[in-house]
Amino acid sequence: MIRWVAVGVLACSAGSLWAQPMLETGYNTYGYPGLIDMPAAHARPDGELAFTSSYFQKQLRNTLTFQITPRLSGSFRYANLWDINNADFRFDRSFSLHYEIATETRNRPAIAIGLNDFLGTGVYRSEYLAVSKTLTPRFRVTGGIGWGRFAGIGGFTNPLSIFGDQFRDRETRTGNQGGEVEVDQLFQGDAAFFGGLEYQATDKLSLAIEYSSDAYRLERVSTFDYFAPVNIGATYRLRPGVHLSAHYLYGSELGVQLSFALNPKNPPAFGGLDKGPPPVVPRPAGSARALGWTFEPENRGRIRSDLSVALAATGLELHGLSFGPGTARLEIENDTYVAQAQAIGRAARAMTGIMPASVDTFVIVPVVNGIAGSQITLRREDIEALESDLDGAWKSLARARIETPETPLQPRAGLYPRFEYDLKPYLSPSLFDPDQPVRADFGAELSARYEPAPGFVLKGAVRKKIVGNLDQSTRPSTSVLPRVRSEFNIYEREGDPTIPELVATRFFRAGPELYGRLTLGYLEPHFAGISSELLWKPLDSRLSLGLEVNYVRQREFKQLFGLRSYEIATGHGSAYYDFGNGFTGQLDVGRYLAGDWGATISLDRTFRNGWKIGGFATFTDVSFDDFGEGSFDKGIRITVPISWISGTPTRDTFSTTIRPVTRDGGARLNVSDRLHDLLNDTQKPGLRSGWGRFWR
C-alpha cells in the first residue's frame, strides 16, 4: 500500500511533466468513470449518455450513465446476480453519483467524490474519494480512499472519526426493498486505499492495472475464488464512443465489458438533410417611399397565396396573415423545426421576398394547437443587414421584440376545419423492470386528428402489435393500494388491438399570461375521464405556475371502450422554474391516482437540438412498506428527437421512462399536451435558447 501512496505523491508533484493527455477516462465495470472495478477522478464529456454492460463469473451489470453537468454524472444500474448472499438469483437495481470536485491542471490532480447504491438494496453500497494525475500524455495514475464495500481489503480506522465517533462504525443495512437513503451511514466505518495505473499503448488500445479494495464478500462465498486484490485490463476502441474491454480479475476470473456512449450535442452524421433557407431579398434603395403600397383586396390575396407557397416550401404552414400601416402580421405553424427560432427566421426570410417594399415591420406569431405563444417583432432593415453578419444571431435577438400577443388569432379563410391521419410503426419499450431487463412491443399505429376550429382538437389512435414480449410479465400484483399501475402486465396481455388515446381537447387563452386546456375522453391506456389545466406563464419569467384537476375512471384491460368500477378525482398544483443552460425544475403537489397525497420533484435537461434527459422522485403519504419494492416512485425519462437520428427536420420525438419498478403509489395521470411543454419554446426563455438557429 505504501507504494500506491508514493505513486500518488509523485503524481501531485509532477506538474512539470504534465501535457495535454491522450488518455480518455473510460467507464469501469459499474458503469461510471473509473479504471477496471475502481473509480477514477475525471469526468466524461458534458451531456454524454452511455450504456455499459460488463460480465464476469455470474455477475452481469447493465448501467445507464448521464453526464448531467460538466462535473456531475448519475448512473442507474441493473445487475443480474447468481448465487449471491445465499440466494440462487436476484435482480438488483442501484444508483450512483460521481462528482469531480476539481479538474486536472498542470499543477493539480483531478479530485472526485462518489456515492454508490445509495438508493438500492445495499449490495454495492460504498463511497469514495479519488485523485487522478496525468504524468505524461500516455500515462496516468489514480489513488483513492473508499468506504463501505470499498473498505473490504486493507481496512483501517476511518480518518473522518476525528470529527466524531459517529464515523467510526458502520451499521448493517436494515432494509432490503431499496429506495431508502440512509444518510447517517455515508462515509462511516472502516476505510481502505485503492489505486491504479493507465497507459495509452496506441491510439485505440489502452491498458490498466489496479489495486482493488473490494473484498467481494457476498459473492466469493459461492460465486468465485478470490485470490488477489489486483485486476488487469485492456480496452480497445472499436469506433468513437464504442469500447470493448477484457479483464483478468482477482487472480481467478476473466471478464468482458462493452461500453457505448453518445452525446446529444453531436448528431450521428455531420450536418443535416434539411433544405437551405430562402435567401433574404433586400429592397431596392428608396423603393418603399417612392412606390408606396395600396391595400387593395387583390394585392392581399396574391401576397397571402405567394407567402403560403413559400412557407410550405420551407416546411411551415401559414395560419393567418393580416396587414397594418407598414406592418405585416404573420401567424405560422411549425411542425418541422425543433427550434421555434429557426422557424421564425425562415418565415422572416420568406417575407423579404414577397412583402411590398413599404412593409417595414414583420410581426411573426408561432401558433401551437390554436394558441398564440408570443409575438416576435422584427425590423425588415435588420433582417436585410444581418443575414451575413458574424454576430447576426446575437444582434437579431437583441433587436427583436418578444411580447405577449395583443391581437386575437386571425386564421386564413379555408384553413378550418381540417383533417389529417398517419400510419406509422410504434415501439413501446420496458427497460430494467424486476422481471426482465429488456422487453418491448413493435407494431403499427393508425392515428387521426380533426380540428374544426382554432383551439379545438379531436384526436385518437389504434395500435396493433406485430411482435413483442411486453405481455410475458407474469408477476402478480401484491399491492395493498388501489391497483392503478401494478397490473400493467394484464393490460399488455389482454389488449391487442388497443385504443391508447381518443380525446377531444379545447385549448384557449384565459388571459394575457394565462393558458387553459380541457380534455375529455380516453386519456391514456389505463384511464378515461376529464382533465382540466390552467397555466400562468409570464412571457419573460423563469417561473411558471400551473393547476391541473382530473376526474377519471379506470379502463378495461382490453383498452377499447369498456370501463371498470374504480374512479377518482386527482390533480396537482405545479411550479416550473427555468434554471438556465437547459435545466428546468418542476414541483408537483397534490393527489395521485391511488388516492395518496404528496409531491413529485423533477429536474430535466433540454438540449438545443431537442434531446431531453431528466429524473424524478415522488414522495407521498403511503409508507415505504405499503408502497412495496422500491419504497417510492422514481425514474429517468429520455426524449430523443427523430431529427437527431435521421438528419431530416421534424418535431417528432421518441420518449421513454425508465422506472426501477412500477408500483401504485405516486402514480400520476399520463395525459398528453400538457401546457408547459407545449408552449415553453414559444416564450421568451425558450426562444432565446434556440435563437442560435435563427439564420439556419
Side-chain angles (χ1 to χ4, degrees), residues 483-492 499-500 523-528 552-557 559 563-564 566 593 662 669-670:
R483 295 176 181 179
V484 295
R485 294 296 186 207
S486 60
E487 292 182 328
F488 67 92
N489 55 340
I490 305 178
Y491 281 90
E492 301 295 349
I499 300 175
L523 304 173
E524 51 136 292
H526 296 183
F527 284 90
V552 295
R553 189 169 178 179
Q554 203 163 27
R555 296 178 64 180
E556 285 188 343
F557 294 126
Q559 301 167 69
L563 300 174
R564 302 169 68 193
Y566 181 77
L593 287 171
T662 300
L669 191 69
N670 293 326

Side-chain angles (χ1 to χ4, degrees), residues 24 55 90 114 197 215 267 295 324 361 374 432 517 568:
E24 178 183 10
Y55 177 82
R90 71 184 293 176
L197 306 173
F295 287 87
T361 303
S374 59
F432 304 132
R517 172 187 59 82
I568 190 170

Side-chain angles (χ1 to χ4, degrees), residues 29-233:
T29 62
Y30 290 94
Y32 57 85
L35 300 165
I36 302 172
D37 240 14
M38 294 290 102
H42 291 87
R44 294 292 299 177
D46 179 43
E48 184 172 272
L49 184 67
F51 175 77
T52 301
S53 183
S54 65
Y55 177 82
F56 86 98
Q57 191 57 28
K58 299 185 178 181
Q59 296 191 71
L60 175 64
R61 301 171 188 155
N62 299 297
T63 308
L64 185 69
T65 297
F66 177 47
Q67 192 68 40
I68 304 169
T69 70
R71 296 191 179 191
L72 176 67
S73 66
S75 304
F76 171 61
R77 187 175 306 101
Y78 187 101
N80 301 13
L81 307 173
W82 291 264
D83 298 332
I84 181 173
N85 202 19
N86 300 317
D88 292 335
F89 177 79
R90 71 184 293 176
F91 289 111
D92 187 80
R93 299 170 301 281
S94 59
F95 290 86
S96 296
L97 289 175
H98 177 92
Y99 183 72
E100 188 179 26
I101 300 173
T103 57
E104 183 177 4
T105 65
R106 178 179 297 276
N107 299 311
R108 182 186 68 200
I111 305 172
I113 190 171
L115 308 176
N116 291 323
D117 203 1
F118 61 95
L119 281 177
T121 59
V123 171
Y124 295 132
R125 186 169 57 128
S126 55
E127 303 85 50
Y128 59 86
L129 180 69
V131 178
S132 297
K133 189 71 179 76
T134 303
L135 302 182
T136 75
R138 292 182 178 267
F139 184 67
R140 179 184 295 148
V141 60
T142 293
I145 182 171
W147 292 263
R149 186 177 173 114
F150 286 168
I153 298 294
F156 51 84
T157 301
N158 190 347
L160 296 178
S161 60
I162 63 173
F163 298 108
D165 291 339
Q166 70 271 20
F167 289 101
R168 188 175 298 275
D169 299 314
R170 190 183 188 103
E171 297 181 5
T172 302
R173 195 170 189 129
T174 56
N176 60 5
Q177 290 191 137
E180 298 184 39
V181 184
E182 296 174 343
V183 179
D184 58 339
Q185 295 187 28
L186 298 179
F187 299 97
Q188 291 193 350
D190 287 351
F193 289 117
F194 61 84
L197 306 173
E198 298 170 88
Y199 177 68
Q200 190 74 39
T202 71
D203 291 344
K204 292 188 175 183
L205 178 65
S206 62
L207 307 174
I209 183 172
E210 70 177 14
Y211 170 83
S212 171
S213 58
D214 189 344
Y216 275 80
R217 289 197 177 99
L218 295 176
E219 295 86 351
R220 65 196 291 183
V221 174
S222 57
T223 301
F224 72 98
D225 295 321
Y226 187 110
F227 290 132
V230 177
N231 300 322
I232 302 172

